[in-house]
Amino acid sequence: QVERGTRDRNLITDYEEAKRLLYNIFSEMGINGESKWEKCLLELNNDDRFRLVKSLKDCKKIFQSYVSDKRSEDRFQLNNNKKIQKDNFKTMLDEYKLITIDTRYTSLLPIFYLDPRWICLDDKEREECFLDYMDNLFRRQAEDEQLQNKTMCDRLKIQFLEIKKINSLTSWEDIKEIMRYNNLWTELHDYYKLK
């Protein structure tokens, strides 16, 4: 146990001041979220600054606070690193350009197995990222198709207005016959034609 001089007028009694001093000492010592008080105390005995803190109880409390802060920092850093790795993984998939909504996860292994962005994630994380990527790809493709169909419909409406044979009395069968050779008409899905 650390001997504390009761006659030393320089002893630190203010908790916040003690905390600042000890946080600096702990940082210099490389204390991390896994460090133990008993082991740390042995090293602290050799540091004269440590002896300036009057209360050993406060020292231990400050140590526990420091270790807890370090654990939180480590968790944050780990989560941040994992997010960066997942973002890099999705960037890798984007760069490949040959992935479609029919692509299977297992088909990518021979393509990417040496890429560091593939290797840095475990199987479960890779598969989750792939499924997220595929969900986004499917959503983007659906949005693109919807926009393309709307554009084609708008162009067809303009053509309908220009064709003299088409009016408010024209039947569905007549329209199909009139538009039979129209490129826009033939490319459009029946649902959108009828709409």
Side-chain angles (χ1 to χ4, degrees):
Q1 188 164 347
V2 176
E3 300 268 338
R4 301 202 179 274
T6 53
R7 295 181 188 175
D8 192 339
R9 293 180 184 176
N10 294 324
L11 284 181
I12 298 170
T13 56
D14 179 67
Y15 183 82
E16 288 304 317
E17 191 180 342
K19 184 174 180 179
R20 279 191 296 277
L21 173 69
L22 290 176
Y23 265 52
N24 285 334
I25 295 172
F26 296 151
S27 177
E28 290 171 17
M29 289 175 61
I31 300 296
N32 61 42
E34 304 304 315
S35 298
K36 302 292 180 217
W37 169 246
E38 292 75 19
K39 185 177 179 192
C40 177
L41 191 56
L42 291 174
E43 292 181 46
L44 285 170
N45 273 327
N46 300 324
D47 193 317
D48 291 336
R49 296 172 297 170
F50 177 64
R51 296 169 197 263
L52 294 176
V53 180
K54 184 174 183 181
S55 166
L56 190 57
K57 182 179 173 184
D58 283 351
C59 290
K60 184 173 183 179
K61 185 177 175 184
I62 292 167
F63 172 82
Q64 290 167 338
S65 172
Y66 183 86
V67 168
S68 175
D69 289 349
K70 277 295 182 189
R71 274 194 213 115
S72 296
E73 284 175 27
D74 292 346
R75 270 194 305 273
F76 174 79
Q77 191 61 41
L78 182 66
N79 290 337
N80 195 40
N81 288 345
K82 196 53 73 176
K83 183 187 179 317
I84 290 168
Q85 290 171 341
K86 289 178 178 183
D87 289 345
N88 289 340
F89 182 86
K90 290 175 184 175
T91 300
M92 175 190 70
L93 297 178
D94 265 339
E95 290 169 358
Y96 184 53
K97 303 288 185 206
L98 297 177
I99 296 175
T100 67
I101 56 172
D102 298 320
T103 302
R104 298 286 167 246
Y105 171 74
T106 52
S107 69
L108 299 177
L109 178 60
I111 299 161
F112 296 121
Y113 75 100
L114 291 177
D115 193 306
R117 296 170 292 184
W118 177 275
I119 297 167
C120 69
L121 298 177
D122 64 34
D123 266 345
K124 184 180 177 187
E125 292 167 333
R126 278 194 294 265
E127 197 158 0
E128 285 173 1
C129 280
F130 174 76
L131 292 174
D132 284 347
Y133 180 84
M134 293 305 283
D135 286 345
N136 288 332
L137 182 66
F138 184 78
R139 188 169 43 257
R140 284 195 314 260
Q141 185 172 331
E143 288 168 359
D144 290 347
E145 283 178 13
Q146 192 172 16
L147 182 61
Q148 183 181 8
N149 286 327
K150 184 187 180 317
T151 303
M152 290 171 71
C153 284
D154 290 345
R155 288 173 58 200
L156 267 175
K157 286 178 193 176
I158 292 169
Q159 288 184 15
F160 287 169
L161 292 171
E162 293 171 350
I163 297 172
K164 303 287 185 221
K165 293 181 187 177
I166 299 175
N167 58 45
S168 61
L169 301 174
T170 306
S171 70
W172 173 243
E173 294 304 319
D174 291 340
I175 286 283
K176 288 197 301 188
E177 184 58 33
I178 294 167
M179 302 303 288
R180 183 173 44 167
Y181 299 111
N182 182 292
N183 288 339
L184 269 178
W185 181 264
T186 54
E187 287 177 29
L188 203 57
H189 188 277
D190 285 345
Y191 168 80
Y192 291 100
K193 290 177 187 176
L194 186 57
K195 191 174 178 190

